[in-house]
Amino acid sequence: DEYMSRRDYAGADGFAVSVEKAYPQEYEDLANAAKAQQVSNERPALTGYPESLSEYDTVFLVYSNPT
């Protein structure tokens, strides 16, 4: 059996969301940066955007949860 990603298995398209300014690697610094963004209602600039979402009925946001 060949390895098949979940995206391939589901027949889904993929788009990686990434920010222009990298977040800090240290937890406390990252938490402080996220809190400051939340308080100021700031949305980080992205490096790119999908062409359109109009052809999709369902969109899943998948992200890692490092521990």
Side-chain angles (χ1 to χ4, degrees), residues 4 7 32 36 38 41 49:
M4 182 181 273
R7 182 181 71 187
N32 289 337
Q38 186 178 34
N41 202 29
Y49 296 86

Side-chain angles (χ1 to χ4, degrees), residues 2-3 7 11 13 15-16 21 23 29 33 35 43 45 48 51 54 57-58 61 63:
E2 277 187 30
Y3 170 78
R7 182 181 71 187
D13 295 330
F15 179 82
K21 181 181 174 188
Y23 284 99
D29 296 336
K35 181 67 173 177
R43 300 295 181 258
E51 288 183 28
S54 63
D57 294 324
T58 305
L61 297 178
Y63 56 92

Side-chain angles (χ1 to χ4, degrees), residues 14-54:
F15 179 82
V17 177
S18 43
V19 293
E20 288 183 359
K21 181 181 174 188
Y23 284 99
Q25 294 295 310
E26 296 297 321
Y27 176 78
E28 190 170 328
D29 296 336
L30 173 62
N32 289 337
K35 181 67 173 177
Q37 284 183 334
Q38 186 178 34
V39 167
S40 66
N41 202 29
E42 178 185 347
R43 300 295 181 258
L46 303 179
T47 58
Y49 296 86
E51 288 183 28
S52 173
L53 296 177
S54 63

